[in-house]
Amino acid sequence: MKATGPAMKDLTEQDLAPAWQGLGVALAGLVLTETDRHLLRVLVDGPQAGDSLLPSLPSYALRKVLAARPTEVAARLSFWANHANPAVGDALLTVAVAVAPDDPEARLGLAWRCFDRGALPDALRHAAHAYQIAPKVAAAAYGFFLLETGDLPGADAVLQAALAVAPDHPPLHWYRGLLLQRQGDLSGTAVALRAACALDPSLHDAAFTLAWVLHDLGEQAEAEVWCGRALDAEATGDRQMQAAWFALRRRDYATAEAQYRAAAESIPLADPRSLLIYRHWAEALQCLGRGEEARSCLTNALHAHPAAAPLWYRLGCIAQEAGDWQAADYALGQAHHFVPTWGDAFIRRAQVLHGRGMADGVVWLLEQGLFLAPETVGARALLAAAYREQGKTNADTTDIPEAFSPVQDSLKPDLRGKDQRRAEAAKAFVAWLQSGLPLRLPVADPTKTPDISVVIVLFNQVGLTLETLTALSAQTGPSFETILVDNGSIDATPDLLARVQGAKILRNADNRGFLLAANQGAVRARGRHILFLNSDAFVQPDALAAALARIDGDGSIGAVGGKIILTDGRLQEAGNWVDRNGAAQGYGRGDDPDAPAYGFVREVDYCSGAFLLVRQPLWAMLGGFDPIFAPAYYEDTDLCLRVWRAGFRVVYEPSARVIHVEGGSAATEAEPIRLMEKNRSLFIDRHPDARGPDASL
């Protein structure tokens, strides 16, 4: 499209009156600095103009400005907007757009102002207008705002077309890199970000992002180069944390300690990122032989985060190495109080009790720890020794049950009664279909942003889908929209969808798998949060309200999961954690879901995608589920670990109860096991340092 530019015509006083009136209203009540007054005087070329702006400008100044053409007026206003305080700048840009609505620079200036104050829809609207007028000028900004709203295909089309015309424009490469990162193409991301930084060395945020991408690709040496460039340009807290982590990885503990200390000065202790800082800062101090400083560091952090199990665990380890058995016992006890199924905390505490000569409790702690972390060889030997001390003279490591297969036992779906439940649901569907009744889902007000966008992926199993949607339709409290993505179902699912009212329905010609279809549905989400709900998961009363209250009540929470209950009444999970070999463990699996241990809110490594609520901006920033795990399994685990790494917490909310036909939507019983085995290896490659709850921070 050829840019036509703004209309060229002389403005009359009548044309400009509403714009100047808007400026007067915008400035009313503001405390103007001397700089603001000077800029406004220059704007109207009147010595006393700054003193008489409210409610209107002097008539002689108006006549002078009115004599100019609109592009000149808009350019002048836009220039001074960049030098005024934010409120005055917003007012000036609003006038600029009113004066010359088709001036792309004024539109883009206002778009970025909207983005800075969190008004993303307005930013996108102004950028889209500018792009229609001058695509070459506005392509980078428009592509970026499309990316931020989650419209990855739209952003890709705009950025690709612009790069074909302007291959040397640095922001296009930068935003193209961010797009590829969200699509899971880390190699492509690195290429694009390198190009952006080479074309414009001042893009220090791009260099910072490039450093993390190269780190994830295992290219540590180059990652540190870009990290250093970003840090040299501006020593922000995030960049200091990055430099500290890289130094810790190469065992340069002195540099790591100095950078974590600097980051702690930049980032308030109440900020969730401080959990990362203080945990690893203490680790660096400990490695430097400064154990007392490390303990003091963790103690300070625990005053602000008293329920942070990883900080308690680190404090217990340091106290143990110092021989302070009593302090170690207390700290480790706190760690597994807040995370009751943390195997390492059990084993460490058993070692402490053994060191104190307190035999009582050692065997029980070791048995619990080995059940949760069975591959811990040293603990198996210690348990064998404890058995012998109790008089089991023939005891050795063979007396201890062998470690179970992490996939076959800890992740294998509970398939008991699944076929019966499917059959019952299928009969219920036939009866509903014969009734001729529609299925009405709540419809969110189109003029307002809904609280939640519920994304459900469908593939056959129409009876279970009906039960899922029926339960969802009964939810009250939050405003929500429903997005259904049908992966080419060949059963009666199309008949069901024909009778569903109030949902956005996306139809795929074939089965794209859960992951890709979930990402596809999330692109259409308008809500403040996105809830991923399985098509065989039945939300119980007020589940959505409980999850929403939890995430809205604490800005440090990035994702919330619920209490997932199997159809036989046993607990599937109260959140999950990941052990050293990538096996996912559900807290309390097989236990009574109403037991006190599962009745309180806790931080967890991850929550199952059967019911997972994520902040929409965070989802967009992380790029959604990583396509490398397609078609399904481990995508939720990977996403939640990336939520932790981004500085947010993942939390289990016990009041959000969900009944789940585990494996109910799988085509065969072997299918989930095969996919878990494959994706567990991919997960370990992506997260080699994942070590249960301690790795989450």
Side-chain angles (χ1 to χ4, degrees):
M1 177 187 298
K2 183 178 180 180
T4 60
M8 299 295 288
K9 74 179 186 68
D10 289 335
L11 297 175
T12 67
E13 186 167 349
Q14 183 178 3
D15 292 329
L16 270 179
W20 286 121
Q21 183 180 7
L23 177 59
V25 172
L27 293 173
L30 289 177
V31 178
L32 300 181
T33 66
E34 285 304 313
T35 301
D36 297 328
R37 293 180 181 277
H38 173 71
L39 294 175
L40 293 166
R41 286 190 188 103
V42 175
L43 172 67
V44 298
D45 289 338
Q48 79 281 19
D51 299 320
S52 56
L53 274 171
L54 311 176
S56 61
L57 293 169
S59 59
Y60 74 88
L62 267 177
R63 288 193 297 273
K64 187 175 183 67
V65 175
L66 290 172
R69 294 185 181 276
T71 49
E72 298 171 32
V73 176
R76 204 169 186 187
L77 290 165
S78 299
F79 174 78
W80 290 117
N82 293 326
H83 294 78
N85 70 38
V88 174
D90 284 354
L92 292 173
L93 281 169
T94 301
V95 174
V97 170
V99 168
D102 290 337
D103 181 78
E105 294 294 346
R107 284 281 180 181
L108 290 177
L110 191 54
W112 285 112
R113 290 275 183 168
C114 292
F115 177 75
D116 288 341
R117 64 171 182 262
L120 185 56
D122 290 336
L124 181 63
R125 176 170 55 84
H126 289 300
H129 191 109
Y131 183 71
Q132 290 177 347
I133 301 301
K136 186 174 180 180
V137 172
Y142 184 43
F144 175 77
F145 293 136
L146 286 170
L147 181 64
E148 289 300 300
T149 59
D151 185 357
L152 302 190
D156 192 22
V158 169
L159 295 173
Q160 289 275 45
L163 279 168
V165 177
D168 294 332
H169 189 45
L172 291 173
H173 291 279
W174 181 8
Y175 302 152
R176 171 72 177 157
L178 296 179
L179 172 66
L180 293 170
Q181 183 183 29
R182 296 185 186 182
Q183 291 175 332
D185 183 359
L186 294 184
S187 297
T189 301
V191 171
L193 293 178
R194 284 192 190 104
C197 294
L199 289 167
D200 185 355
S202 69
L203 293 179
H204 306 304
D205 284 339
F208 171 76
T209 303
L210 176 57
W212 280 126
V213 171
L214 292 169
H215 168 271
D216 291 344
L217 289 170
E219 300 177 28
Q220 193 65 29
E222 187 184 355
E224 298 211 23
V225 171
W226 293 108
C227 168
R229 292 186 187 182
L231 185 64
D232 290 343
E234 184 180 2
T236 65
D238 284 334
R239 295 177 189 180
Q240 290 163 336
M241 288 175 64
Q242 184 183 71
W245 174 249
F246 288 172
L248 198 63
R249 288 288 300 272
R250 67 173 182 269
R251 300 185 181 181
D252 181 355
Y253 301 120
T255 299
E257 190 277 330
Q259 291 292 353
Y260 278 125
R261 184 182 298 274
E265 294 174 357
S266 303
I267 296 175
L269 188 56
D271 191 300
R273 291 173 295 174
S274 68
L275 291 169
L276 286 164
I277 294 172
Y278 281 84
R279 174 179 174 269
H280 294 306
W281 185 9
E283 183 180 349
L285 286 167
Q286 184 184 14
C287 292
L288 289 170
R290 295 155 61 180
E292 286 304 313
E293 288 182 65
R295 292 173 73 170
S296 176
C297 171
L298 290 168
T299 301
N300 290 337
L302 282 165
H303 285 308
H305 305 282
L311 298 182
W312 283 113
Y313 177 79
R314 178 63 59 191
L315 183 61
C317 292
I318 293 173
Q320 180 188 12
E321 292 185 14
D324 188 346
W325 304 114
Q326 185 172 356
D329 185 27
Y330 177 77
L332 292 168
Q334 289 294 101
H336 73 64
H337 167 73
F338 291 113
V339 183
T341 53
W342 192 349
D344 280 356
F346 278 100
I347 293 169
R348 280 272 189 176
R349 196 175 182 199
Q351 293 171 342
V352 168
L353 292 182
H354 190 267
R356 297 179 70 184
M358 300 172 63
D360 293 342
V362 171
V363 169
W364 181 83
L365 286 168
L366 287 171
E367 287 176 339
Q368 294 298 313
L370 281 167
F371 174 77
L372 297 165
E375 75 291 347
T376 311
V377 177
R380 292 169 65 80
L382 182 60
L383 180 55
Y387 281 161
R388 287 192 291 270
E389 290 173 5
Q390 289 187 346
K392 298 181 179 180
T393 56
N394 295 325
D396 59 24
T397 56
T398 60
D399 291 323
I400 305 166
E402 289 298 318
F404 53 82
S405 164
V407 170
Q408 291 293 334
D409 290 335
S410 69
L411 287 179
K412 184 176 180 180
D414 174 25
L415 300 173
R416 290 175 292 182
K418 182 183 69 175
D419 291 339
Q420 180 181 353
R421 188 59 181 261
R422 281 177 171 175
E424 292 172 352
K427 290 180 180 178
F429 168 74
V430 171
W432 172 81
L433 198 63
Q434 292 173 346
S435 73
L437 296 173
L439 196 161
R440 295 187 177 91
L441 292 164
V443 179
D445 186 340
T447 66
K448 299 179 180 179
T449 300
D451 294 320
I452 300 172
S453 294
V454 182
V455 176
I456 306 175
V457 177
L458 314 178
F459 181 64
N460 297 333
Q461 307 305 334
V462 64
L464 297 178
T465 300
L466 174 62
E467 193 168 352
T468 295
L469 296 180
T470 301
L472 180 63
S473 68
Q475 291 291 297
T476 59
S479 61
F480 68 91
E481 62 175 357
T482 306
I483 302 170
L484 305 177
V485 186
D486 182 30
N487 268 336
S489 296
I490 58 175
D491 64 354
T493 296
D495 296 327
L496 168 63
L497 297 180
R499 301 259 291 277
V500 170
Q501 299 176 1
K504 296 179 183 177
I505 300 175
L506 310 180
R507 293 177 172 85
N508 294 325
D510 53 13
N511 186 3
R512 303 184 64 192
F514 170 80
L515 187 152
L516 297 179
N519 283 351
Q520 176 187 1
V523 169
R524 299 288 298 274
R526 295 192 305 114
R528 296 186 297 112
H529 310 290
I530 302 176
L531 173 66
F532 295 97
L533 181 67
N534 274 13
S535 60
D536 54 6
F538 319 133
V539 288
Q540 301 303 286
D542 298 322
L544 268 63
L548 180 66
R550 180 59 54 194
I551 201 168
D552 278 349
D554 188 337
S556 70
I557 297 175
V560 172
K563 180 183 289 185
I564 313 298
I565 303 170
L566 298 169
T567 53
D568 64 2
R570 296 177 301 131
L571 183 65
Q572 176 183 319
E573 65 186 60
N576 299 269
W577 66 283
V578 187
D579 69 16
R580 291 178 177 81
N581 54 14
Q585 308 280 347
Y587 288 122
R589 185 179 179 90
D591 206 347
D592 178 2
D594 295 320
Y598 316 117
F600 60 89
V601 178
R602 65 158 65 91
E603 295 178 352
V604 293
D605 272 2
Y606 84 96
C607 294
S608 166
F611 181 94
L612 179 63
L613 185 69
V614 185
R615 294 183 184 274
Q616 193 281 333
L618 179 60
W619 165 267
M621 182 186 78
L622 296 176
F625 291 129
D626 191 333
I628 194 174
F629 296 104
Y633 295 106
Y634 274 92
E635 73 284 342
D636 46 8
T637 316
D638 167 77
L639 176 72
C640 288
L641 290 192
R642 288 188 284 130
V643 168
W644 275 110
R645 176 171 155 179
F648 292 85
R649 299 188 297 140
V650 180
V651 168
Y652 157 71
E653 170 54 60
S655 298
R657 297 169 69 96
V658 181
I659 305 299
H660 185 211
V661 185
E662 192 179 26
S665 58
T668 67
E669 294 188 5
E671 181 185 23
I673 304 301
R674 179 184 62 81
L675 292 174
M676 289 175 192
E677 289 280 10
K678 176 179 77 73
N679 284 354
R680 184 169 69 91
S681 298
L682 294 173
F683 175 82
I684 293 172
D685 291 340
R686 282 293 176 90
H687 302 279
D689 298 327
R691 300 172 64 88
D694 195 46
S696 298
L697 295 174

